[in-house]
Amino acid sequence: MTVGARPMPVPDERSAPYWKATGEHVLSVAKCSVCSALTHPPDVVCPHCRSTNPEFVFTPVSGRAVVRSWTVVRRSFLPGFEVPFLLVDVELVEQDDLRLIGRLLDGPDVPLQVGNAVRVTFEDIAPGVAVPAFALEGRS
């Protein structure tokens, strides 16, 4: 059952480039200008080189990933989500331990295994506003 409107992202100075890119259906992550490691979400310190001045630059990535873990959400905790739905924790292929969490759009009953290949897709929730989600590779 869908209840109310979906929550909208509230970009801040650090996340605004990410949300601008997702609104254009481009997945981007922060790249440290000191060590070139990718991170999501960016923070004030690079988690890889510990630079306190990482000057992150958002860089497009392929959106290809593998499933690390998942859960089926059966109880609504936010308005605007039809339950049940499946949340996946994925690792992007660009770098070890570069992880995102999003909905798997293939449905809550799809058989999953750790290591299943997924690709990013986007859910448009308002004009110019989209959130990343995932779909199993090889499925429509």
Side-chain angles (χ1 to χ4, degrees):
M1 166 186 248
T2 301
V3 181
R6 292 270 300 261
M8 296 290 286
V10 181
D12 60 14
E13 183 179 327
R14 198 172 298 133
S15 68
Y18 172 81
W19 290 113
K20 181 180 184 309
T22 62
E24 298 167 356
H25 290 197
V26 174
L27 183 62
S28 64
V29 295
K31 182 176 183 177
C32 176
S33 294
V34 176
C35 70
S36 297
L38 302 172
T39 191
H40 180 80
D43 205 343
V44 294
V45 173
C46 175
H48 303 280
C49 70
R50 305 289 185 224
S51 172
T52 56
N53 190 22
E55 296 184 25
F56 289 115
V57 175
F58 278 81
T59 304
V61 292
S62 70
R64 293 183 0 257
V66 295
V67 173
R68 291 177 45 103
S69 182
W70 67 91
T71 189
V72 176
V73 178
R74 298 188 187 282
R75 180 176 235 170
S76 180
F77 61 96
L78 288 173
F81 289 92
E82 188 174 314
V83 291
F85 64 90
L86 203 147
L87 282 179
V88 287
D89 172 358
V90 303
E91 181 175 88
L92 297 173
V93 299
E94 280 77 13
Q95 178 180 294
D96 288 345
D97 214 28
L98 179 59
R99 296 166 60 182
L100 287 168
I101 294 175
R103 289 190 345 138
L104 185 72
L105 300 182
D106 296 281
D109 298 322
V110 67
L112 275 182
Q113 294 181 0
V114 170
N116 280 137
V118 294
R119 69 185 184 295
V120 74
T121 186
F122 294 89
E123 294 183 274
D124 293 310
I125 58 174
V129 180
V131 294
F134 296 92
L136 287 167
E137 283 286 356
R139 292 180 65 109
S140 303

